[in-house]
Amino acid sequence: MEYTALVREAFAARENAYAPYSGFLVGAALLAENGKVYRGCNVENAAFSPGSCAERTALYAAVAEGVRRFRAIAVVGAKQDAESFAFCFPCGVCRQALSEFCPPSFEVVVAKSETDFQVYRLDALLPYGFGGDSLK
Ligand code: THU
């Protein structure tokens, strides 16, 4: 799948973002190895800590369907009334959550628009990560 199309999915996912406290709306589109795309948005909560980022919403939706192998994720985020987008990188918790299921070569696509995006490998965004091997 072209990353332009994956970014379009992330913008569509952002439409459902629930962020009444921060006003920062995020959408993510996670491309599985089987070609399926899982959408996620941020879901905030009045108690704050139960909230979820868009990336983890997408990841856990996929895992809940039994899908555990992924190629890439596109992320778009901006304030509700923003006139333009800046690149929105996954937070540290989401990088760690993705690393549980995704290979080092997994690609993170941060986008300002369907045509203006940057691509990073997961191991560039999370070097020296903590994984299952660390527990052996
Ligand atoms: N957020 C995400 O959903 N993904 C990111 O990559 C960065 C931050 C959300 C969490 C919170 O709902 C809001 O954006 C402000 O931090």
Side-chain angles (χ1 to χ4, degrees):
M1 176 185 233
E2 297 280 341
Y3 284 156
T4 295
L6 195 63
V7 170
R8 193 178 310 130
E9 287 284 322
F11 275 110
R14 183 175 175 271
E15 295 290 314
N16 292 329
Y18 176 75
Y21 305 105
S22 71
F24 191 81
L25 310 183
V26 186
L30 178 63
L31 175 62
E33 274 198 1
N34 66 11
K36 250 191 107 170
V37 174
Y38 293 86
R39 292 181 181 179
C41 60
N42 55 334
V43 183
E44 296 186 348
N45 187 280
F48 287 18
S49 63
S52 177
C53 289
E55 296 90 327
R56 273 174 289 151
T57 306
L59 177 65
Y60 298 154
V63 173
E65 272 196 15
V67 173
R68 297 180 181 174
R69 293 163 68 88
F70 306 103
R71 289 189 202 288
I73 191 168
V75 184
V76 296
K79 292 288 279 190
Q80 197 155 15
D81 48 8
E83 281 168 17
S84 61
F85 283 68
F87 294 123
C88 175
F89 285 83
C91 76
V93 174
C94 287
R95 295 176 198 198
Q96 177 67 25
L98 288 165
S99 76
E100 182 70 24
F101 295 97
C102 305
S105 60
F106 176 85
E107 291 189 316
V108 176
V109 182
V110 290
K112 295 181 180 178
S113 73
E114 280 180 29
T115 52
D116 187 1
F117 57 79
Q118 296 178 349
V119 181
Y120 296 83
R121 280 172 59 109
L122 183 58
D123 61 359
L125 297 184
L126 185 67
Y128 308 108
F130 188 89
D133 286 348
S134 311
L135 292 173
K136 285 177 185 155

